[in-house]
Amino acid sequence: MPGALLAGAATAAFLASSLFTQAAPAATGITAPPDKIVIEIATVNGSGCPIGTAAVAVSPDNTAFTVTYSQYLAQVGAGAKPTDFRKNCQLNLIVHVPSGFTYAVASADYRGFAHLESGASATQKASYYFQGSSDTASRTHPFTGPYNDDWQANDTTDWGQLVWAPCGVQRNFNINTELRVGAGTSDPHSNSFIAMDSTDGDIQTIYHLAWKECPDPR
């Protein structure tokens, strides 16, 4: 499966190409900044995303960014190594936010493909936190065999529970994802796997951003 992923180094920057204003109804308080945002990959670590296998791009309206994988697969059984049952990927992102604004990840959409034999199971997990912050949001999605199909998972956070980036301070944003498979009572000669990977070899994980203006420091 998988092949090569992202564009190499940790300093590749991806810019939004056009400008929008409203990101959501005014009642939510979400207004996207009118200027471009830039997201750089500071570091990429994990068995599920070897260097050069994860790409980040910002949507034109500044309300989402995508992470594209092509080598993110956990498996057990025939042909699998003992360490293949769990794969993870931690992205450390530098988000350059226009002055006067702060952001939070309001929701995240994941998808991929899984083949689970009867008796096998899998989980997809993600956590989100800012550098130096004790606030961590974490979500887990289970899957059980028999299963042989595309899968989707959505992490959504209520407005009042959003973890916002500190105003006026540059703090890197960390996304730690994990795929895990358990053989359970399945036939030990069979193979079960879960992947963040579509049929064409790419998967776009979409992170939807919420925005608000920072308090006037004066």
Side-chain angles (χ1 to χ4, degrees):
M1 266 189 97
L5 261 207
L6 180 84
T11 55
F14 301 83
L15 286 77
S17 60
S18 62
L19 310 177
F20 272 48
T21 52
Q22 289 295 334
T28 65
I30 305 175
T31 301
D35 298 324
K36 294 179 182 179
I37 61 173
V38 180
I39 295 179
E40 301 175 45
I41 299 178
T43 58
V44 181
N45 293 303
S47 54
C49 56
I51 292 177
T53 63
V56 179
V58 182
S59 69
D61 64 358
N62 288 351
T63 62
F65 63 93
T66 63
V67 180
T68 303
Y69 301 99
S70 64
Q71 196 174 335
Y72 202 162
L73 171 79
Q75 62 176 330
V76 293
K81 300 176 183 178
T83 56
D84 286 346
F85 78 97
R86 177 186 177 274
K87 294 297 176 73
N88 79 298
C89 181
Q90 178 161 316
L91 297 175
N92 185 286
L93 305 177
I94 303 171
V95 182
H96 299 277
V97 179
S99 178
F101 283 87
T102 183
Y103 72 97
V105 172
S107 65
D109 301 321
Y110 299 91
R111 66 180 178 86
F113 186 85
H115 171 80
L116 302 174
E117 294 288 330
S118 179
S121 62
T123 56
Q124 181 270 329
K125 181 180 180 181
S127 59
Y128 319 93
Y129 61 96
F130 291 99
Q131 182 181 19
S133 174
S134 59
D135 293 329
T136 301
S138 180
R139 302 287 187 277
T140 301
H141 301 277
F143 303 90
T144 57
Y147 191 98
N148 188 51
D149 204 348
D150 295 327
W151 61 267
Q152 292 190 40
N154 174 265
D155 296 343
T156 301
T157 303
D158 292 336
W159 178 262
Q161 301 299 316
L162 291 176
V163 179
W164 297 94
C167 285
V169 180
Q170 179 64 59
R171 295 285 178 83
N172 289 9
F173 182 60
N174 293 278
I175 302 169
N176 194 4
T177 58
E178 175 185 299
L179 295 178
R180 186 185 293 259
V181 184
T185 58
S186 63
D187 183 346
H189 301 293
S190 65
N191 177 275
S192 293
F193 68 85
I194 184 171
M196 282 196 198
D197 191 9
S198 64
T199 54
D200 63 0
D202 290 330
I203 181 277
Q204 289 187 330
T205 299
I206 304 174
Y207 296 87
H208 302 279
L209 300 179
W211 293 94
K212 70 178 181 179
E213 295 187 35
C214 291
D216 191 331
R218 292 175 296 177

